[in-house]
């Protein structure tokens, strides 16, 4: 299973905004990296979607769960990288 995204905004090394091309509703994500000092940075991951009026609560919850799963996957990969596993 995969997700197809289109990059809609790019500031190399700092920020990328993507639009999902496979979601059932318009949705986007943004990844921002902000340098804090020479040895650290802040990474911010955002997700948002335009859910049509009248959508069943179960569909909305499924979208929230998908976003949460992506965040958990990213957190896991970052922890592996920090431990030297990647």
């Amino acid at each position: 299973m995969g997700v197809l995204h289109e990059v809609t905004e790019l500031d190399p090394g700092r920020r990328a905004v993507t639009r999902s091309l496979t979601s059932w509703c318009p949705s986007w994500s943004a990844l921002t990296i902000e340098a804090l000092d020479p040895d650290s940075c802040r990474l911010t991951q955002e997700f948002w979607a335009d859910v049509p009026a009248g959508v069943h609560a179960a569909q909305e919850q499924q979208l929230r769960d998908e976003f949460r799963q992506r965040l958990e996957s990213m957190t896991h990969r970052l922890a592996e990288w920090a431990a030297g596993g990647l």
Side-chain angles (χ1 to χ4, degrees):
M1 183 174 159
V3 179
L4 185 61
H5 291 267
E6 171 187 34
V7 176
T8 60
E9 178 185 328
L10 181 64
D11 184 0
R14 295 198 174 136
R15 181 172 168 83
V17 178
T18 61
R19 177 177 69 95
S20 175
L21 299 175
T22 56
S23 181
W24 59 270
C25 69
S27 63
W28 297 264
S29 67
L31 180 67
T32 306
I33 302 170
E34 177 185 357
L36 299 176
D37 60 50
D39 296 322
S40 66
C41 65
R42 175 179 296 127
L43 178 86
T44 305
Q45 175 70 63
E46 303 171 78
F47 297 104
W48 65 97
D50 290 342
V51 179
V55 166
H56 193 274
Q59 283 182 295
E60 184 179 342
Q61 186 60 48
Q62 179 184 5
L63 188 60
R64 289 176 190 267
D65 291 344
E66 289 173 15
F67 288 163
R68 186 172 292 111
Q69 183 179 17
R70 286 193 222 165
L71 284 172
E72 288 172 0
S73 177
M74 177 185 230
T75 301
H76 180 72
R77 286 189 304 239
L78 287 170
E80 284 181 341
W81 177 82
L86 290 180

